[in-house]
Amino acid sequence: MTGLRRLVAGQPLAMGYALLLLAALVTGPLTGPSPALRGILGTGYESVVENGHWWSPLTSVFFVDNAAEVVLALFAAVVVLGQAERLMGGVRTAIAFVVTAVLGAGLGILGQSLGVAGGEFWSRRVSELWSLDPFTPIVGTIMAASFYAGPLWRRRIRVFTISGALVLLLYSGQPSDVYRLIAALVGLGLGAAFRPRPIDLTWRRSSHHETRTLLAAVVGVLAVGPLITIFSGARFGVLAPLGLLLTQDVPAAGDVVDRCLLGDITRQCVHELTLERVGGVGPVLVSLLPLVTLLVAAYGLARGRRFGAWLAIVVNAAMAVLGAWYYGLLPISGQPYVWRWHPLRYWEVALVLVVSVLVPVATAILIAANLRRFPVRSRPGVRRRFALSIVAGFLALASLYVTGGWLLRDRFRPTVTLLDLVTDVPERFIPVGFLRLERLSFLPTDWVTTALYQWVGPAFWIIVIVGAIQGIRSSGSGGGNDQARLRKLLIRGGGGGSLAFMTTWDGNSIWFSPSGTTAIAYRVFNGVAITTTEPVGPIEDGAQAIADFATMCDDNGWVPVFYSLHDHWQPTFAGMGWRSMGIGEETILRPRTWDTRGKKWQDIRSSINRADRAGVRAEWTDYRSLTLLQAVQISEISEQWVQEKELPELDFTLGGLDELRDPAVRLMLAIDADDHVHAVTSWLPSYRDGVVIGWTLDFMRRRPDSMNGVMEFLIAQTAQTKSERPEIEFLSLSAAPLARTGGGASDERDGSLAARVVNFLGRALEPVYGFQSLLAFKRKFQPEFHPLFMAYPDPVALPTIGLALARAYLPSLSMREAVAFARSLG
């Protein structure tokens, strides 16, 4: 009861609206208001224009069509409208609710009136429909409230709302779908008017994780669009060809053959032949399984899989080509089975063509433009095997269809020829929605020919889906088996150093020594194989593993570069005749001797005292133990941090949100009494004989308005907590990339070409990412400094190595950003 009272007190308008929706159920608990009441309260062209019910745009939002819809409406009222009320207050929420309800329906009806007057087909077709829709003002209100949300949820609200409204309009196409989209746009305008400060129209960067999430959501929403056609009460959208399947019964095949295939071709025949084409389970699966393929691709996009990105691009491009061919070329080819369109409706046919093609084309282009955001590549040969399996499956099933059809040719009506079967092959694999205007030459007449006719297509798409799932699961690191082997080596310990856990990150390829005792993680850029850190495995096996890895790279035409190595590896590379150079300083704390007494610790003590006064506590946890609210806040903190940068977030040896989710990773959060997360750090484990002996700092983010010194507080509390654990030997504050104090045993002088390459990169990125500032921050903790170096075989390759390092840290750098980067060098 306390929680309910708090909910009502925090969002009274939303709760009141939910109660009104519940009260409206008395007019019709299962099927909504009666036809007579619906005519008075519902809105639409006929209601407002012909009957003069000017009040209906407002009254229509307090009723629902059926019992199933009321559940969704109550959820939207409490959660979505309630969130809008919390973001911008009750007064603005009430204004946005009324204005978007009235203008959403009003402007939509005005557009319908113009369409009816001009003879536009869709407007006349839906002119008698009455709309009862509580979602119109809810959508408009949350869009207005998005101006008051943080950068993470502002973008998510707008992308999800607009894409969802567009998909409903394209696949359902009812007047309420038009009103909803207009309300969303009106809500954006209202939010801009409500916003108390100037609107920032500059480009706001998104993190890699967030970009992948949004693209996956867009692909997923587009994939489920046709399901809206199936379950919608009416099907008027330009992308709703499957509506034919459920709107009326499929006629008997024999009747269709006798009346249509053997007689005159009429418009009704075309309609019935289309229904016959989509009759049965097989054709439905042929239409739905490509959508399942897109859902698989969306999952791959969310996981950063390059295979999933290419799969989404290819499927959407194929849908665009099919739409252009079957919706564009065939209807104007003059074939006798196509009814003649009225000249005034040519633009409506063009609209179907344009939308059918442009939606998947735009999606494919959007994913292709962000291809660098998907760094996790499949193992070598996976895409080739996938393509070969698709081609082989198609050829085998097509041969089965043609051969079987020829042997059973007398069981089709009319009897088929070999040419008929061959020309019909593509249609067995294409979603039937694309074929609604394409000529149907013959039909099966018994269960054997029906099975052959209907099921080769679903079998093909099942092969595609299974291959796609395997391709997405097969990351460049070798998949689950290689990851399991790598983690066993990490837990056993004995090599890899404090940075070894970074080898488990997505995007790395894993190489194992012939003995299987040593693993090396690497990434290839511009023909340069850069290791993530030193070899993972027994120290005594390291030298041989390095030599074998270098041989493997040479066999592949790659330049091997060992990166982020500690000084004890210097003799190994010196013995191989390789060159080396310092690339950073790792900072190490010793929890067993942790003590903040003394003048030099004044800043750290002040941060701890400031947190105590502010009621901020430190909490050691993992991602799976976070509450939903905490996880959302961490995502928002990260998104705010990324937007402050002029270049994308760094990769390679710097983790992001995706790396927090590993069960072995721990988080230290700064949380106040109201459960608000002010800052977050992540810590990577180091093992020996299955026991964690150290933690390495990776992810660091803080709210812009958090207290001063919150990061110092979190690191100090981590050190204090681990000082009570005798098995913890060190805390590594990691290294600031490309920032050095000048120490180390590197054999390169400061004026050498190698040093100039690294110093060049460090200076170029310093104004944006502040590596030297980060190193200065870590000095506050009085750490031990352990130099890190890079080893390489050939100084001639240093310019290529420098470019590869830039690509490793900035894999998603676009051309525009590269220009900005080049300008910063001056």
Side-chain angles (χ1 to χ4, degrees):
M1 291 300 294
T2 302
L4 181 60
R5 285 196 297 269
R6 187 182 299 113
L7 184 64
V8 174
Q11 49 186 63
L13 183 67
M15 295 302 295
Y17 181 58
L19 290 176
L20 288 175
L21 289 175
L22 278 175
L25 287 178
V26 299
T27 61
L30 297 178
T31 59
S34 64
L37 193 58
R38 189 182 298 262
I40 298 174
L41 302 174
T43 193
Y45 170 81
E46 184 176 289
S47 173
V48 174
V49 177
E50 296 185 1
N51 297 338
H53 295 170
W54 53 266
W55 61 84
S56 62
L58 191 58
T59 59
S60 63
V61 303
F62 292 94
F63 298 86
V64 294
D65 275 323
N66 51 63
E69 189 175 286
V70 75
V71 176
L72 295 176
L74 289 174
F75 175 82
V78 174
V79 176
V80 181
L81 190 62
Q83 181 63 24
E85 188 173 1
R86 288 192 294 271
L87 285 172
M88 62 179 181
V91 174
R92 292 190 183 94
T93 301
I95 294 173
F97 184 93
V98 173
V99 171
T100 56
V102 173
L103 289 184
L107 293 177
I109 293 170
L110 177 61
Q112 286 181 258
S113 301
L114 296 176
V116 170
E120 190 267 326
F121 179 70
W122 177 84
S123 297
R124 291 189 295 106
R125 189 181 178 195
V126 300
S127 62
E128 297 180 358
L129 295 183
W130 302 70
S131 171
L132 297 175
D133 182 40
F135 300 104
T136 296
I138 294 176
V139 164
T141 304
I142 194 60
M143 288 293 281
S146 68
F147 280 84
Y148 295 84
L152 175 70
W153 283 102
R154 179 165 60 246
R155 184 184 292 113
R156 287 184 176 181
I157 288 171
R158 293 173 182 176
V159 170
F160 292 163
T161 303
I162 293 296
S163 60
L166 279 173
V167 167
L168 284 170
L169 177 61
L170 294 175
Y171 284 98
S172 175
Q174 300 182 65
S176 58
D177 300 317
V178 177
Y179 307 159
R180 209 174 292 130
L181 180 59
I182 294 174
L185 300 177
V186 171
L188 277 178
L190 272 180
F194 286 158
R195 191 174 176 84
R197 56 184 182 274
I199 303 172
D200 184 6
L201 296 178
T202 59
W203 169 253
R204 307 297 290 177
R205 183 175 310 285
S206 177
S207 66
H208 303 326
H209 172 83
E210 182 63 11
T211 300
R212 292 194 291 265
T213 298
L214 294 176
L215 287 174
V218 169
V219 173
V221 168
L222 290 174
V224 301
L227 298 180
I228 297 171
T229 300
I230 295 176
F231 296 107
S232 174
R235 302 164 186 90
F236 305 102
V238 296
L239 299 184
L242 285 179
L244 290 172
L245 177 62
L246 298 181
T247 51
Q248 50 189 293
D249 295 331
V250 178
D255 293 342
V256 173
V257 170
D258 292 338
R259 289 191 295 106
C260 296
L261 294 182
L262 303 180
D264 294 332
I265 301 297
T266 64
R267 179 169 179 168
Q268 181 62 27
C269 277
V270 172
H271 182 70
E272 292 184 358
L273 287 172
T274 304
L275 290 174
E276 185 59 43
R277 185 191 297 279
V278 300
V281 177
V284 175
L285 290 178
V286 170
S287 296
L288 296 184
L289 289 178
L291 310 180
V292 176
T293 307
L294 278 179
L295 290 177
V296 173
Y299 173 79
L301 293 175
R303 298 293 301 273
R305 294 330 196 231
R306 182 69 62 90
F307 185 97
W310 277 114
L311 180 64
I313 291 171
V314 170
V315 173
N316 276 285
M319 292 175 64
V321 171
L322 289 174
W325 177 260
Y326 285 104
Y327 287 164
L329 298 180
L330 288 180
I332 61 173
S333 61
Q335 298 207 24
Y337 57 89
V338 179
W339 60 81
R340 294 185 176 277
W341 299 88
H342 192 281
L344 295 179
R345 297 183 194 156
Y346 280 151
W347 73 270
E348 298 179 39
V349 179
L351 176 64
V352 174
L353 167 63
V354 169
V355 174
S356 300
V357 174
L358 287 188
V359 169
V361 163
T363 305
I365 292 175
L366 184 62
I367 297 171
N370 288 276
L371 201 58
R372 291 183 296 269
R373 308 273 190 171
F374 304 94
V376 186
R377 299 176 184 269
S378 300
R379 284 177 293 176
V382 167
R383 281 191 294 181
R384 183 175 64 255
R385 288 194 297 272
F386 175 72
L388 289 176
S389 66
I390 298 305
V391 172
F394 175 81
L395 292 177
L397 290 169
S399 300
L400 174 65
Y401 176 67
V402 172
T403 304
W406 173 248
L407 295 176
L408 302 171
R409 58 188 178 276
D410 294 333
R411 301 190 188 184
F412 289 92
R413 297 285 300 276
T415 301
V416 296
T417 65
L418 186 61
L419 180 61
D420 290 333
L421 292 167
V422 172
T423 56
D424 189 61
V425 163
E427 297 180 18
R428 299 304 97 224
F429 303 91
I430 294 173
V432 295
F434 292 107
L435 308 175
R436 56 177 174 171
L437 299 180
E438 208 272 345
R439 181 173 185 176
L440 189 62
S441 301
F442 57 88
L443 287 171
T445 58
D446 60 17
W447 70 270
V448 179
T449 51
T450 298
L452 185 67
Y453 188 81
Q454 293 187 356
W455 284 96
V456 292
F460 169 76
W461 283 104
I462 290 173
I463 293 173
V464 174
I465 292 170
V466 172
I469 293 173
Q470 292 177 344
I472 287 173
R473 293 179 61 185
S474 173
S475 65
S477 61
N481 291 336
D482 285 358
Q483 277 289 324
R485 292 176 62 190
L486 173 62
R487 288 182 184 257
K488 285 182 180 179
L489 294 176
L490 286 170
I491 293 173
R492 187 182 306 157
S498 55
L499 308 178
F501 199 82
M502 295 178 182
T503 59
T504 65
W505 291 353
D506 284 342
N508 291 328
S509 298
I510 308 297
W511 174 89
F512 290 94
S513 63
S515 64
T517 60
T518 303
I520 295 177
Y522 67 98
R523 303 187 186 195
V524 179
F525 298 96
N526 301 331
V528 178
I530 308 175
T531 67
T532 303
T533 183
E534 54 202 46
V536 177
I539 298 295
E540 59 272 18
D541 296 343
Q544 184 60 49
I546 289 171
D548 291 340
F549 178 79
T551 300
M552 183 275 293
C553 291
D554 186 63
D555 291 342
N556 284 278
W558 301 332
V559 177
V561 174
F562 280 80
Y563 194 76
S564 294
L565 305 173
H566 291 86
D567 268 352
H568 63 82
W569 290 99
Q570 282 280 4
T572 300
F573 290 98
M576 297 171 59
W578 286 29
R579 311 297 290 272
S580 64
M581 59 173 294
I583 50 89
E585 303 273 357
E586 184 181 15
T587 48
I588 300 292
L589 307 180
R590 302 296 177 183
R592 294 175 182 174
T593 59
W594 174 257
D595 189 357
T596 59
R597 290 176 295 182
K599 185 176 181 180
K600 61 184 179 181
W601 293 95
Q602 180 61 44
D603 285 348
I604 305 302
R605 291 198 303 271
S606 297
S607 299
I608 296 173
N609 294 333
R610 192 178 298 114
D612 288 340
R613 291 192 299 269
V616 175
R617 70 183 189 278
E619 184 174 312
W620 181 260
T621 183
D622 60 67
Y623 195 88
R624 291 183 299 180
S625 301
L626 297 176
T627 65
L628 178 60
L629 179 61
Q630 289 173 338
V632 169
Q633 289 182 80
I634 290 173
S635 296
E636 188 163 4
I637 290 171
S638 178
E639 199 66 18
Q640 289 174 326
W641 183 88
V642 170
Q643 289 191 357
E644 294 173 357
K645 303 299 180 185
E646 297 179 11
L647 290 176
E649 61 181 330
L650 297 179
D651 201 356
F652 192 34
T653 60
L654 296 168
L657 278 176
D658 293 331
E659 285 70 34
L660 302 187
R661 291 170 167 78
D662 193 299
V665 174
R666 294 295 179 266
L667 309 178
M668 183 65 95
L669 309 179
I671 305 176
D672 64 18
D674 296 325
D675 205 30
H676 292 155
V677 178
H678 289 252
V680 56
T681 58
S682 73
W683 298 84
L684 313 178
S686 293
Y687 300 89
R688 183 188 301 128
D689 298 327
V691 177
V692 177
I693 61 168
W695 295 95
T696 300
L697 178 64
D698 176 37
F699 187 87
M700 297 173 61
R701 299 284 192 273
R702 62 186 292 270
R703 286 191 184 277
D705 57 350
S706 62
M707 72 173 198
N708 291 331
V710 67
M711 283 301 174
E712 290 90 333
F713 164 70
L714 283 181
I715 294 174
Q717 289 298 98
T718 303
Q720 179 62 41
T721 301
K722 298 311 166 189
S723 69
E724 302 167 1
R725 304 289 298 271
E727 72 276 10
I728 303 299
E729 299 177 6
F730 69 89
L731 286 181
S732 170
L733 302 187
S734 196
L738 309 177
R740 298 184 288 160
T741 60
S746 170
D747 66 1
E748 293 289 352
R749 300 187 302 261
D750 286 341
S752 68
L753 175 60
R756 290 201 302 270
V757 168
V758 171
N759 290 337
F760 171 77
L761 288 174
R763 288 195 311 271
L765 295 174
E766 175 63 26
V768 181
Y769 295 107
F771 297 140
Q772 292 291 346
S773 302
L774 179 60
L775 185 60
F777 164 78
K778 294 176 180 180
R779 284 179 179 272
K780 296 181 180 181
F781 298 92
Q782 313 304 315
E784 301 172 8
F785 287 95
H786 293 256
L788 299 176
F789 73 94
M790 175 181 74
Y792 54 96
D794 185 3
V796 175
L798 272 173
T800 304
I801 293 172
L803 181 59
L805 280 173
R807 289 291 309 278
Y809 279 109
L810 291 166
S812 63
L813 192 70
S814 66
M815 184 60 68
R816 179 181 62 84
E817 293 162 342
V819 172
F821 174 77
R823 288 176 178 172
S824 71
L825 302 185

